[in-house]
Amino acid sequence: MFLTISATGSTAKPATDLGFLLHKHPGKAQSFSTSHGTAHVFYPEATAERCTAALLLEVDPVALVRRGRGKGRGGAPDAALAQYVNDRPYAASSLLAVALSGVFRTALKGVCAARPELPSRPLPLRVEIPVLPARGGADLVHRLFDPLGWLTVRTEPIALDEQFPEWGDSRYVRLVLEGELKLDDALRQLYVLLPVLDDAKHYWIAPDEVDKLLRAGDGWLAAHPEHALITARYLARHKRLTQDALERLELARLAEADGSEVEEIDNAVDESRDTEDRPVPLAVRRRDAVLTALRAAGATRVLDLGCGQGQLVQALLKDVSFTEIVGVDVSMRALGTAAGRLRLERMGERQASRVKLLQGSLAYTDKRLVGYDAAVLSEVIEHLDLPRLPALEYAVFGSARPRTVLVTTPNVEYNVRWESLPAGHVRHRDHRFEWTREEFRTWAGEVAGRYGYTVAYVPVGDDDPEVGPPTQMAVFTQAHGAPETVTATTPTTTTTETPKEGEAA
């Protein structure tokens, strides 16, 4: 994908001021990693009379398919070849819009610390996009850009195949915009209208997309004659989000017409009271799911294996039905943080008798962990190298053998919904693996069969119909008649020594 922004100037007002506004030096070529490829910024020309900044985005379509499981333009599940042979690396789309916002983030905000006077000054700009998908044709391109103050909006249709002119034109055009605009206005228009013209987005549309749209559309979108179409397409025709955005745009339009602030008009709600439904963080939802499963199992004596900084231990202490809580971690630093969080030194005797923090490695059997009702491994297994996983399995399921074991781990299929997560990356740098739902269920089923447990699966977080929940949880329950101990089926190490701090769990 390719886009150029050019400015003209003179000795008094050099065109190279464009470099200050973009925060990219004209004498350097720079590269930036994005969630879907690599963005390059360079200047084919940089003189006082004319300066051109180019944004080149290299996209890996195969990586996009692996992330998106075929979702999006050119990736229909019934068109396997189209998943790999498509226009994504070449045609401007939401991929380019996201790169634009990431690479030119400060310019989009209209900020220039080195030259504070520049952002408010209109520049003679020329924007060129060689390949722009236009679902709606050149007419729609003009309907979108003509009202925005450009002196020239020129579209040139691109033939389906120059060797066969009788086939006609494709849905792609070459777009050239010319006019005197502030650079941040031009960038914000492109950020919104590129995915609108493409009429597709490569990532999941979440409620915060409304805020992004209104921020980028501030000052121009509310009064745009096609604001309803722009809003619906930008939000992928999500009915509830589109309605919310249109209502807020109407408030902005009314406030501008009245010379008032939006807050002065939209004053029906007492802002001193929290009436807005805020999204619950995934970590909180995960702890709630664990607590619900422990209560359903009737557990009162609980192990938190790999307790980290003690968030789950703290939540367990708030429920008096849990009479004994043991947090185990290999890191003394983490245990020290957990002790501080729990305020163990100032805890009353009765409360302190309910909780213990132990240093221990989950790769070794430990007699101190035998006899408990339940054990929790929350976001733990993915931090282990796969060859060490059998040792953990035996230490927990074969030696400690609590009646119930809860295991949560990321669902790698859901990673495509995280816009900020680069393709092929795991959620945390220390994750040694992340499993699909099928891989997790295969592992859990084998462990249950090997050690005499049954297993059920619980989604944690919003269960996406295509890629599942962000977190997957397995609930292991000891089968009736299972032996109290199980002989290890794979070589494991048994020790009574305390592992050294820093040893991987």
Side-chain angles (χ1 to χ4, degrees):
M1 298 182 194
F2 193 64
L3 174 151
T4 59
I5 304 171
S6 302
T8 55
S10 61
T11 303
K13 294 182 177 180
T16 48
D17 284 347
L18 183 65
F20 285 101
L21 288 167
L22 292 174
H23 293 260
K24 302 293 179 287
H25 196 287
K28 298 179 180 179
Q30 302 180 57
S31 298
F32 306 86
S33 178
T34 73
S35 58
H36 39 262
T38 304
H40 307 277
V41 178
F42 55 94
Y43 289 77
E45 54 184 344
T47 65
E49 292 73 29
R50 185 175 175 84
C51 182
T52 298
L55 173 63
L56 173 66
L57 178 61
E58 291 184 299
V59 175
D60 182 354
V62 176
L64 281 176
V65 170
R66 289 171 178 167
R67 288 184 66 213
R69 302 291 176 187
K71 182 176 175 59
R73 186 181 72 253
D78 58 346
L81 183 60
Q83 295 185 31
Y84 300 94
V85 183
N86 52 58
D87 61 0
R88 293 181 183 184
Y90 316 106
S93 66
S94 59
L95 296 168
L96 185 60
V98 171
L100 193 76
S101 69
V103 174
F104 299 137
R105 184 180 303 277
T106 307
L108 272 158
K109 295 177 181 177
V111 176
C112 181
R115 300 279 300 280
E117 77 284 358
L118 283 181
S120 61
R121 194 178 82 195
L123 298 177
L125 296 175
R126 184 180 191 273
V127 176
E128 180 176 349
I129 304 174
V131 184
L132 176 67
R135 293 183 185 270
D139 174 66
L140 179 60
V141 178
H142 284 275
R143 283 161 49 200
L144 296 182
F145 283 102
D146 283 345
L148 296 177
W150 295 96
L151 296 177
T152 302
V153 178
R154 188 165 69 250
T155 57
E156 298 176 8
I158 298 175
L160 277 173
D161 193 319
E162 294 180 354
Q163 301 299 318
F164 301 93
E166 65 273 15
W167 289 0
D169 295 328
S170 67
R171 66 180 182 90
Y172 305 95
V173 298
R174 172 177 172 263
L175 174 65
V176 176
L177 305 171
E178 294 178 324
E180 287 205 6
L181 275 79
K182 294 191 301 176
L183 180 64
D184 63 302
D185 286 342
L187 292 176
R188 288 187 294 111
Q189 292 168 15
L190 292 170
Y191 174 76
V192 172
L193 297 181
L194 290 182
V196 167
L197 282 165
D198 187 29
D199 200 15
K201 277 199 168 185
H202 72 281
Y203 57 84
W204 185 249
I205 304 298
D208 64 347
E209 289 295 304
V210 174
D211 295 324
K212 293 179 186 178
L213 172 63
L214 297 182
R215 281 196 300 268
D218 185 33
W220 64 272
L221 181 56
H224 197 292
E226 298 290 346
H227 70 275
L229 179 144
I230 293 170
T231 301
R233 283 195 172 195
Y234 183 88
L235 297 171
R237 295 179 175 81
H238 192 296
K239 187 175 181 180
R240 183 176 60 82
L241 297 182
T242 300
Q243 184 62 34
D244 178 29
L246 290 174
E247 289 174 357
R248 291 166 65 180
L249 283 172
E250 179 62 15
L251 280 173
R253 188 189 66 79
L254 291 173
E256 184 177 356
D258 192 47
S260 307
E261 296 294 328
V262 171
E263 291 77 11
E264 297 177 31
I265 296 177
D266 189 20
N267 58 5
V269 176
D270 182 1
E271 294 295 339
S272 65
R273 304 180 68 180
D274 186 6
T275 59
E276 181 182 359
D277 291 332
R278 298 181 180 179
V280 179
L282 179 59
V284 175
R285 300 179 75 170
R286 188 161 48 236
R287 285 196 295 274
D288 289 346
V290 168
L291 291 169
T292 298
L294 289 173
R295 293 181 186 118
T300 59
R301 304 175 66 240
V302 179
L303 299 168
D304 181 8
L305 304 178
C307 66
Q309 299 178 18
Q311 291 94 331
L312 178 59
V313 173
Q314 186 178 43
L316 290 165
L317 273 172
K318 293 178 181 178
D319 188 333
V320 295
S321 66
F322 299 112
T323 59
E324 186 176 350
I325 304 152
V326 178
V328 181
D329 204 282
V330 73
S331 169
M332 283 303 299
R333 182 182 302 175
L335 292 173
T337 302
R341 176 188 295 275
L342 299 171
R343 299 182 180 180
L344 286 181
E345 293 182 355
R346 288 179 283 178
M347 189 177 288
E349 183 178 349
R350 188 172 183 178
Q351 186 80 328
S353 66
R354 296 173 56 210
V355 62
K356 286 189 292 186
L357 297 179
L358 304 176
Q359 186 189 23
S361 170
L362 303 184
Y364 299 88
T365 59
D366 190 334
K367 293 181 180 179
R368 297 175 298 175
L369 308 184
V370 175
Y372 284 82
D373 298 330
V376 179
L377 291 154
S378 182
E379 309 301 284
V380 170
I381 60 172
E382 64 272 10
H383 292 273
L384 272 70
D385 292 319
L386 282 171
R388 303 192 72 185
L389 199 52
L392 175 143
E393 294 166 7
Y394 179 71
V396 175
F397 295 91
S399 175
R401 291 192 63 73
R403 290 203 314 269
T404 301
V405 181
L406 308 181
V407 180
T408 76
T409 192
N411 168 22
V412 72
E413 296 171 75
Y414 194 89
N415 287 359
V416 67
R417 301 305 190 218
W418 304 118
E419 177 185 347
S420 60
L421 187 64
H425 286 228
V426 292
R427 298 184 196 177
H428 189 279
R429 65 177 181 273
D430 189 51
H431 286 187
R432 311 306 169 86
F433 62 87
E434 287 180 359
W435 278 334
T436 64
R437 288 168 290 174
E438 182 180 354
E439 290 169 333
F440 180 55
R441 291 187 176 214
T442 298
W443 171 81
E446 291 175 352
V447 170
R450 188 179 305 128
Y451 293 105
Y453 283 77
T454 60
V455 61
Y457 305 95
V458 178
V460 180
D462 295 333
D463 197 356
D464 186 282
E466 295 181 6
V467 297
T471 295
Q472 44 194 340
M473 180 167 72
V475 180
F476 295 86
T477 304
Q478 200 174 103
H480 293 296
E484 293 186 1
T485 59
V486 176
T487 304
T489 56
T490 56
T492 58
T493 302
T494 304
T495 182
T496 57
E497 296 180 3
T498 301
K500 297 177 181 179
E501 181 180 0
E503 181 178 357

